[in-house]
Amino acid sequence: RRPQKIQAETVTRPSPLLNVRAAIQSIPAHQGPGMEFPVTGNITADIPLKIIGWTDRWFRVEPTDKGFDRNAVGPLWVRNDLVLAQPNP
């Protein structure tokens, strides 16, 4: 089965911004919101993330750490049950 394109209107923008971290040592980051999308890399628990959108059980995130070297191309999507909320700085 091929990944479906996500329409922009299906992604909700959170307000206010919420920061999260991986709930375990390392979590997979997918190219889209679903297990059928390829994994672009792993995100470790020491990397703070900002939620920039979501759909269903998936968060679209970007690292807030300026020193994070993301080798992945495109958006980063993680399952919402694999992250923990963090206080905003």
Side-chain angles (χ1 to χ4, degrees):
R1 190 173 119 172
R2 302 184 88 180
Q4 296 178 351
K5 295 258 184 196
I6 302 300
Q7 298 296 323
E9 60 269 11
T10 64
V11 177
T12 305
R13 299 276 179 214
S15 178
L17 295 176
L18 178 64
N19 291 318
V20 296
R21 288 186 187 265
I24 56 177
Q25 186 174 8
S26 178
I27 60 173
H30 292 261
Q31 286 182 352
M35 297 298 284
E36 65 273 12
F37 289 90
V39 173
T40 59
N42 289 307
I43 300 173
T44 57
D46 62 331
I47 299 171
L49 304 167
K50 176 174 58 174
I51 297 174
I52 59 172
W54 71 79
T55 183
D56 194 26
R57 294 185 52 197
W58 293 83
F59 288 147
R60 184 174 181 176
V61 297
E62 66 181 25
T64 61
D65 183 354
K66 302 267 189 252
F68 179 70
D69 181 20
R70 184 175 67 142
N71 293 325
V73 176
L76 297 174
W77 289 86
V78 296
R79 278 190 13 213
N80 63 13
D81 61 341
L82 296 179
V83 296
L84 298 172
Q86 298 291 301
N88 286 338

